[in-house]
Amino acid sequence: MNAEDFPTPDADVSSVAPKTLKDRIDDGEDVTLLDARMQSDYEEWRIDGENVTSINVPYFEFLDDEIDDSVLEQIPDDREVTVLCAKGGASEYVAGTLVEQGYDVDHLEDGMNGWASIYEAVEVERYDGAGTLLQYQRPSSGCLGYLLYDDGEAAIIDPLRAFTDRYLADAAELGVDLQYALDTHIHADHISGVRDLDVESVEGVIPEAAVDRGVTYAADGSSASPASQARQDADELTTAADGDSFQVGDATIEAVYTPGHTTGMTSYLIDDSLLATGDGLFVESVARPDLEEGDDGAPDAARMLYESLQERVLTLPDDTLIGGAHFSDAAEPADDGTYTAPIGELVAEMDALTMDEDDFVDLILSDMPPRPANYEEIIATNLGQNAVDDEEAFTLELGPNNCAASQGSLADD
């Protein structure tokens, strides 16, 4: 059933905004959720947390005139319960039927779609380069991005298409001119916002090494202009080769070629203080190597990743911060609330970073999670080979990112 197909409940049903629910969870309040989506959707992607009790009872269990006692027995009657679904229609109906049964319930506005619309900006306090660095966080999928601004100029790294207007609004509020929108690689879990920002007169930048995958909106890597030169064609984005730099006020963003997760994977060193590693290295894990060439190409990609980590990333000073493009439930935020950590700390805590090459490859190939939902269509869209409207783009990227190798086996016990 679609959300509009559910009758309006007779009982008054209170609603809770997604951001309000997020704040309650972050504040450590005990929260009980009744997720009325189908079991398969629930198992793939749900709201979790140490202080979250989550119960899955699909909405169709509440459609009969007489709700089965076994269904009601699953729902606590001694506390407030928030009902949620995909878009908000089913949850309002289910909440209404439970109010009529005497339960203390409300429902989540816009359901998991509303949850996916939460996007927070947190300052990276340990960043000690020029200007100010913010980390954008999307809790529904663990996507991370970075906004650097200094002396009236700004750049965004790994922007999401769904939040194009947000970046422009934030820049306007800060009184800065958004100069660059840079992607670390061709993403497989979300639709990039680089091209949409480029249309808004923000210079879009993608790794030169990624173009050969079939990108339709940038010059071929072998003939691309250096980042410092003007684009040859208005329809083409700037391409960044290893060592290219971009000036933002007094801060410098340098492209560091770090293939492995993809052949075009490029990190960005922000004023020698933080390395935005895309999907190469996270604070709790390393990249999975199978999303470009599949299982057959994964071993070679894993060896490429090992070389990138050992020769391009771990050779940086130990106090250089690492900031990936994702975080998972296994990640612990730093004291400032960001998912960043110094290289030296990661080396001390993550076995994968101190192994020899063969052991590293064996480890990350041994237990990879399911691939991101719709990843092939998302990749095609990010290459420019597939066109989708904003609503379809938002729907494609709902769910977990799954861009890392399994976290459980990568860290020290």
Side-chain angles (χ1 to χ4, degrees):
M1 295 178 68
N2 296 320
E4 58 269 17
D5 294 332
F6 287 92
T8 301
D10 293 331
D12 290 332
V13 178
S14 299
S15 62
V16 58
K19 184 62 168 62
T20 300
L21 178 63
K22 172 71 163 45
D23 290 342
R24 289 169 54 194
I25 294 172
D26 289 347
D27 289 342
E29 180 180 337
D30 289 332
V31 171
T32 300
L33 304 177
L34 171 58
D35 195 317
R37 295 175 300 153
M38 301 298 288
Q39 183 179 1
S40 58
D41 295 327
Y42 175 80
E43 291 178 348
E44 179 183 4
W45 179 50
R46 59 180 178 269
I47 301 174
D48 269 328
E50 291 183 0
N51 51 314
V52 175
T53 300
S54 182
I55 306 160
N56 177 222
V57 183
Y59 69 88
F60 60 77
E61 298 282 7
F62 299 90
L63 295 178
D64 295 334
D65 291 335
E66 292 292 332
I67 303 173
D68 194 280
D69 288 344
S70 64
V71 171
L72 296 177
E73 288 170 358
Q74 299 178 60
I75 303 166
D77 58 7
D78 60 348
R79 73 196 80 155
E80 182 181 56
V81 176
T82 295
V83 187
L84 62 95
C85 63
K87 298 181 180 179
S91 62
E92 184 178 18
Y93 171 79
V94 170
T97 63
L98 290 173
V99 168
E100 293 171 349
Q101 295 284 334
Y103 288 85
D104 180 13
V105 299
D106 56 21
H107 86 106
L108 181 64
E109 290 178 5
D110 300 322
M112 292 300 284
N113 279 16
W115 186 254
S117 297
I118 298 175
Y119 204 48
E120 300 175 314
V122 184
E123 183 175 348
V124 183
E125 295 178 0
R126 290 182 290 181
Y127 169 75
D128 63 0
T132 301
L133 183 65
L134 304 180
Q135 184 182 70
Y136 283 109
Q137 302 175 354
R138 190 183 195 184
S140 65
S141 61
C143 285
L144 300 173
Y146 299 87
L147 179 71
L148 171 69
Y149 62 95
D150 183 54
D151 196 22
E153 298 181 338
I156 179 81
I157 297 174
D158 283 334
L160 310 183
R161 173 173 163 179
F163 298 98
T164 300
D165 291 343
R166 168 71 182 274
Y167 305 129
L168 297 171
D170 284 356
E173 184 175 342
L174 291 167
V176 296
D177 182 17
L178 192 54
Q179 297 279 324
Y180 301 107
L182 306 100
D183 259 346
T184 54
H185 64 296
I186 303 300
H187 293 275
D189 66 297
H190 67 260
I191 307 301
S192 166
V194 164
R195 283 183 291 160
D196 289 74
L197 286 167
D198 191 76
V199 170
E200 299 293 336
S201 299
V202 179
E203 185 170 347
V205 181
I206 63 170
E208 180 182 278
V211 175
D212 288 340
R213 289 187 66 183
V215 171
T216 65
Y217 49 86
D220 181 87
S222 61
S223 60
S225 301
S228 58
Q229 295 182 12
R231 283 168 287 182
Q232 297 175 355
D233 190 303
D235 294 329
E236 294 177 349
L237 270 63
T238 297
T239 55
D242 184 46
D244 281 346
S245 63
F246 304 83
Q247 202 68 28
V248 178
D250 289 329
T252 301
I253 300 175
E254 180 184 352
V256 181
Y257 184 44
T258 51
H261 176 67
T262 67
T263 52
M265 181 73 236
T266 297
S267 302
Y268 294 105
L269 183 59
I270 304 173
D271 220 32
D272 293 324
S273 179
L274 180 143
L275 185 69
T277 52
D279 289 1
L281 176 63
F282 313 104
V283 298
E284 77 282 22
S285 182
V286 299
R288 64 185 302 161
D290 64 326
L291 295 182
E292 183 172 339
E293 297 292 341
D295 293 337
D296 291 343
D300 287 341
R303 294 187 183 279
M304 192 183 300
L305 175 62
Y306 180 84
E307 182 176 330
S308 292
L309 291 173
Q310 295 298 323
E311 298 183 6
R312 307 306 308 275
V313 177
L314 302 184
T315 53
L316 294 170
D318 282 352
D319 61 354
T320 305
L321 293 172
I322 294 297
H326 296 294
F327 68 97
S328 72
D329 291 341
E332 291 289 336
D335 290 342
D336 62 4
T338 66
Y339 294 92
T340 59
I343 287 177
E345 181 179 307
L346 294 183
V347 170
E349 295 180 351
M350 202 180 301
D351 281 346
L353 300 182
T354 57
M355 292 178 172
D356 64 31
E357 183 174 343
D358 289 340
D359 288 341
F360 175 89
V361 172
D362 288 344
L363 178 64
I364 67 170
L365 295 179
S366 65
D367 186 26
M368 285 187 291
R371 290 171 181 149
N374 306 313
Y375 80 99
E376 292 176 315
E377 190 169 357
I378 290 173
I379 289 172
T381 302
N382 285 330
L383 288 171
Q385 300 170 358
N386 181 44
V388 296
D389 61 26
D390 289 345
E391 182 177 357
E392 186 177 359
F394 185 84
T395 301
L396 279 174
E397 62 191 27
L398 293 176
N401 63 74
N402 287 348
C403 284
S406 179
Q407 291 85 17
S409 58
L410 295 177
D412 290 334
D413 294 332

